[in-house]
Amino acid sequence: MITAGIDMGSKTIKVVILKDGEIIGKSIELAGFESREAAEKAFAGALEAAGIAQGDIEKTTATGAGRKNAPYTEHEVTEVGSDARGVRELYPNARTVLDVGAEEGRAIRTTDEGKVLDFALNEKCAAGAGAFTESMSRALEVPIEELGPLSLQSDASIPMNAQCAVFAESEVVTLVHAKTPKQDIARAVHDAIASRIVSLARKVGFEPDVVLIGGVAYNTGFVDSLERALETKIIIPEDPEFVGAYGAAIIAAEGL
Amino acid sequence: MKAHYGYKDGAGDFFIIIDTDNCIECADHPCIPACPESVLEIIEDDYEDMVCAVTMDHRKKIKYSCAPCKPDRDRPPLLCVTACPKNALEHLW
Amino acid sequence: MAEFWRWKEYNWHDENKDWRDGELITAGVDVGSVSSQAVIVVDGELYAYSNMRTGSSSPESANNSFNWAIEGTGLTLDDVGFVIGTGYGRVNVPFSHKAITEIACHARGANAMYGPSVRTVLDMGGQDCKVIRCDEKGKVTAFAMNDKCAAGTGRGMEVFADLLAIPIGEVGELSLDVEEEPPPVSSTCVVFAKSEATGLLREGWSKSKVLAAYCSAMAHRVVTLLEQVGVEEDFAITGGIAKNSGVVTRLEKELGIKALPFDTDTQIAGALGAALFAQNLLRKKLAKAGK
Ligand code: SF4
Ligand code: SF4
């Protein structure tokens, strides 16, 4: 049985193809301004990796903010549903899922059976999601991939006052002018965003194991801040940004 | 005075409204110890009355500060609101 | 940081009056994040003021604006009986006797400038947005202040002006130069609205059309804040955005209420209110000393 999951994120589009529970192809594309085209491209990439044709896929489930625009799709699930399902498959002991993407942060609490018990969202404000770190990397003039390793070099904790991505950019510029070491600023940025994700986790009453997914999970500085604030170890899967699409593909298979 | 502390951002309206005329006659200010996150304090306002206010520290992040009291499921009555004998406190979210 | 609005720094004093004839001389100093003002009041009458950019230090800005206000008057700090600091840097006015919030000072100042019929003041600054309601004495009855989020502030408008490479002062007029009003930008968040605008430009929207969509989104946002607190006439708008016709026209239309005519000098409303508060306190102080 072959199924596909497509995660129509605001910034990137992910496709995972499953055959009898095994991932046989996956692909990611920047959403850009033509998300439909990008989705088709991502699909083509995953099909090629799997060495199959579109017609071989029995069912496709879409998730993500733009799931209404997904091509080749028979069925949709919410991000909460697909995240929880994907994480459950990878880590049966997970009870809390944190998903931090470009434009949204999410905390999901699941039962011992893997059912969604509660969830909370940060949405529509860049300060609560990956877009915040992107703005700050611009203000710091440090590429986003280097922001994490840079902040790990810091052992000073300085506060950030601004709670808005726009005002925080000015604050970062002021700190740079005041000759504050860049690694300390980077850490302050990660502490700031982590504190907002922690509040979501608290809201859903987080329990271990805690699994972090979404593109921002690649940011080691953010993970460090998050672990410090939550006072717990966090599990990060190998391909954190594909977990939603993976969950959707599993849900597609279960529906058959 | 109807003091709106908090903010409006892309995600919504997060205001605590305090009708401070009530606080002037309120002897014990029971709202203050009731809040587990120390969000509230008594200040002397611009007209020299002692009234309840949201602390400076929390004004720009009350959505997060108050989050522990506001689970999405089975939300209990808010501790500060329940503690106030004069119904002077209101949360907008 | 770029400036939200280009404006002239200025000072003024009443040539037809001599402060030496007065009894109660008080001052208000408003140190804002973008501009600072000092106002001297003699027996409740506006006597002198200044308006200038805030520098990197609040105490210095307070000193400079005070010195500029008294320039050419022969007045010195020693002649002033009571000074009140207000605004974002209010606790950093070195020579003040007391600090009062800009909310209370703004209401008091608007009451004096526009007359006692003013009930609602909307102040849209570079980094915040305030709605203040007051009674006929200029006492605050309700307020909301939003300084957390850049949307609805001058800063948010600056981001758009930068994106489109348009001088901030031309944004309002340009945004009105559209045949048909486009739907407002759907994201409130400035960061997300900016990417939305980039997409619209790629679709071939003119700069005017994009600005129209943003100005109306901003107007709508401010209207919701106004409605939160309640709007009652007379209604006045102060602060940098009061000069942006693109936002003000749309805001008035949505509210169905016209704002009182705009006057540049309303920038001193906060400092004037502070000076008037200072007068009350000076009177109290003198009465006490007299006993
Ligand atoms: S308990 Fe109520 S009336 Fe008393 S100070 Fe607190 S908010 Fe004001
Ligand atoms: S402008 Fe700032 S505070 Fe407002 S929604 Fe965007 S990031 Fe959040």
Side-chain angles (χ1 to χ4, degrees):
Chain A
M1 177 174 41
I2 301 179
T3 60
I6 178 161
D7 180 355
M8 302 283 289
S10 50
K11 191 154 174 246
T12 55
I13 293 171
K14 284 81 58 175
V15 174
V16 166
I17 299 175
L18 270 192
K19 182 178 185 188
D20 303 325
E22 292 295 315
I23 297 179
I24 56 168
K26 61 180 196 296
S27 174
I28 182 167
E29 288 289 334
L30 281 175
F33 292 104
E34 304 291 339
S35 64
R36 179 91 188 187
E37 256 169 48
E40 282 164 8
K41 233 171 125 188
F43 234 108
L47 287 170
E48 200 189 322
I52 58 167
Q54 184 61 49
D56 297 329
I57 294 177
E58 288 172 66
K59 191 176 174 192
T60 300
T61 294
T63 185
R67 60 182 176 272
K68 296 263 176 299
N69 279 322
Y72 324 117
T73 299
E74 295 85 19
H75 176 236
E76 291 169 18
V77 289
T78 64
E79 296 97 309
V80 172
S82 57
D83 282 358
R85 189 63 193 90
V87 168
R88 172 78 180 168
E89 199 65 26
L90 298 169
Y91 306 102
N93 288 328
R95 295 295 173 270
T96 309
V97 181
L98 304 177
D99 178 359
V100 187
E103 295 197 356
E104 237 179 61
R106 199 174 299 126
I108 308 164
R109 176 85 160 80
T110 54
T111 62
D112 295 348
E113 291 77 40
K115 291 239 166 346
V116 174
L117 191 62
D118 205 352
F119 67 91
L121 294 179
N122 273 344
E123 50 169 4
K124 300 194 178 109
C125 168
F132 182 77
T133 43
E134 280 164 39
S135 298
M136 297 316 112
S137 85
R138 231 174 298 130
L140 263 177
E141 298 178 340
V142 169
I144 184 86
E145 316 79 61
E146 289 169 26
L147 203 61
L150 181 68
S151 75
L152 292 179
Q153 295 166 21
S154 161
D155 45 22
S157 144
I158 53 170
M160 287 213 46
N161 297 315
Q163 298 287 332
C164 164
V166 176
F167 291 140
E169 258 187 65
S170 319
E171 193 174 339
V172 164
V173 170
T174 309
L175 287 169
V176 171
H177 284 165
K179 305 254 182 309
T180 313
K182 282 198 176 182
Q183 65 262 32
D184 295 347
I185 305 177
R187 175 165 151 170
V189 165
H190 293 133
D191 283 350
I193 171 86
S195 78
R196 297 193 264 274
I197 302 300
V198 165
S199 128
L200 287 185
R202 293 238 157 82
K203 208 168 149 92
V204 299
F206 81 97
E207 293 276 339
D209 294 351
V210 180
V211 177
L212 173 66
I213 61 173
V216 184
Y218 285 116
N219 181 328
T220 49
F222 167 68
V223 174
D224 182 59
S225 293
L226 195 60
E227 287 189 327
R228 224 179 314 112
L230 280 177
E231 297 175 351
T232 180
K233 264 270 164 238
I234 292 168
I235 300 167
I236 299 168
E238 201 174 314
D239 290 315
E241 82 269 57
F242 280 101
V243 176
Y246 175 58
I250 297 172
I251 291 170
E254 286 168 343
L256 282 175
Chain B
M1 182 191 304
K2 286 221 171 209
H4 294 55
Y5 292 106
Y7 52 87
K8 195 182 189 56
D9 67 9
D13 291 359
F14 307 98
F15 284 105
I16 296 180
I17 306 176
I18 308 176
D19 192 347
T20 60
D21 292 350
N22 292 289
C23 307
I24 302 171
E25 302 284 303
C26 173
D28 301 328
H29 312 307
C31 57
I32 309 294
C35 173
E37 305 292 320
S38 307
V39 166
L40 304 173
E41 64 177 344
I42 298 294
I43 57 161
E44 186 189 78
D45 74 3
D46 295 320
Y47 306 101
E48 297 176 355
D49 292 317
M50 301 306 286
V51 301
C52 176
V54 172
T55 68
M56 277 291 182
D57 240 21
H58 286 290
R59 286 183 195 173
K60 290 185 195 167
K61 53 180 187 195
I62 54 166
K63 173 188 170 190
Y64 300 110
S65 308
C66 295
C69 287
K70 301 187 173 195
D72 286 332
R73 217 171 24 104
D74 306 330
R75 174 162 143 181
L78 294 169
L79 295 168
C80 56
V81 172
T82 318
C84 173
K86 312 211 179 200
N87 254 327
L89 283 164
E90 186 190 346
H91 286 231
L92 268 194
W93 79 107
Chain C
M1 203 187 305
E3 300 258 337
F4 168 60
W5 184 264
R6 269 170 246 247
W7 41 275
K8 282 214 176 72
E9 301 186 310
Y10 54 84
N11 66 350
W12 170 90
H13 72 264
D14 191 342
E15 308 272 359
N16 302 320
K17 233 191 271 175
D18 190 344
W19 57 268
R20 291 171 192 86
D21 300 337
E23 209 178 310
L24 299 175
I25 301 173
T26 56
V29 181
D30 181 352
V31 181
S33 55
V34 178
S35 65
S36 298
Q37 299 85 23
V39 166
I40 315 288
V41 161
V42 177
D43 294 335
E45 294 283 325
L46 182 61
Y47 172 67
Y49 62 79
S50 70
N51 182 14
M52 60 202 303
R53 268 163 251 279
T54 299
S56 54
S57 114
S58 298
E60 213 173 287
S61 304
N63 284 330
N64 291 346
S65 58
F66 180 82
N67 289 334
W68 207 32
I70 58 172
E71 196 181 76
T73 63
L75 196 79
T76 67
L77 186 56
D78 293 335
D79 301 314
V80 180
F82 211 97
V83 184
I84 286 182
T86 187
Y88 153 90
R90 63 180 173 275
V91 291
N92 287 316
V93 178
F95 47 93
S96 77
H97 299 91
K98 190 182 159 100
I100 292 187
T101 68
E102 57 270 41
I103 307 276
C105 290
H106 227 88
R108 184 83 186 259
N111 172 275
M113 298 188 93
Y114 290 105
S117 59
V118 170
R119 286 294 166 281
T120 314
V121 181
L122 167 67
D123 179 54
M124 295 165 83
Q127 301 193 22
D128 66 5
C129 177
K130 306 188 253 299
V131 176
I132 307 168
R133 292 185 59 186
C134 58
D135 63 15
E136 70 288 346
K137 295 199 188 78
K139 185 175 180 199
V140 179
T141 54
F143 75 88
M145 163 152 153
N146 195 4
D147 59 352
K148 183 258 180 182
C149 171
T153 69
R155 189 77 187 88
M157 195 51 91
E158 255 175 32
V159 169
F160 263 72
D162 279 358
L163 175 74
L164 299 172
I166 286 171
I168 189 82
E170 289 167 26
V171 164
E173 286 304 310
L174 262 177
S175 83
L176 293 172
D177 187 21
V178 285
E179 273 163 32
E180 217 184 315
E181 190 69 11
V185 171
S186 69
S187 321
T188 298
C189 176
V190 177
V191 177
F192 299 151
K194 195 173 147 188
S195 3
E196 206 179 316
T198 313
L200 294 173
L201 288 169
R202 282 174 54 113
E203 268 176 38
W205 281 39
S206 68
K207 286 186 179 183
S208 284
K209 202 169 160 192
V210 173
L211 284 177
Y214 188 65
C215 286
S216 68
M218 181 143 169
H220 175 69
R221 178 183 167 77
V222 175
V223 166
T224 58
L225 187 69
L226 277 160
E227 283 172 347
Q228 185 68 68
V229 186
V231 196
E232 202 187 322
E233 289 183 89
D234 292 351
F235 169 53
I237 307 179
T238 61
I241 300 252
K243 299 172 200 167
N244 183 321
S245 52
V247 175
V248 173
T249 319
R250 291 176 172 96
L251 190 144
E252 289 180 328
K253 196 163 155 220
E254 195 176 337
L255 273 180
I257 290 180
K258 279 249 174 255
L260 294 172
F262 174 73
D263 178 346
T264 336
D265 293 344
T266 51
Q267 281 207 5
I268 67 163
L272 173 62
L276 293 171
F277 266 111
Q279 189 188 263
N280 287 11
L281 291 170
L282 177 60
R283 196 169 279 138
K284 256 196 209 169
K285 193 171 133 186
L286 293 176
K288 233 188 216 164
K291 261 179 213 161

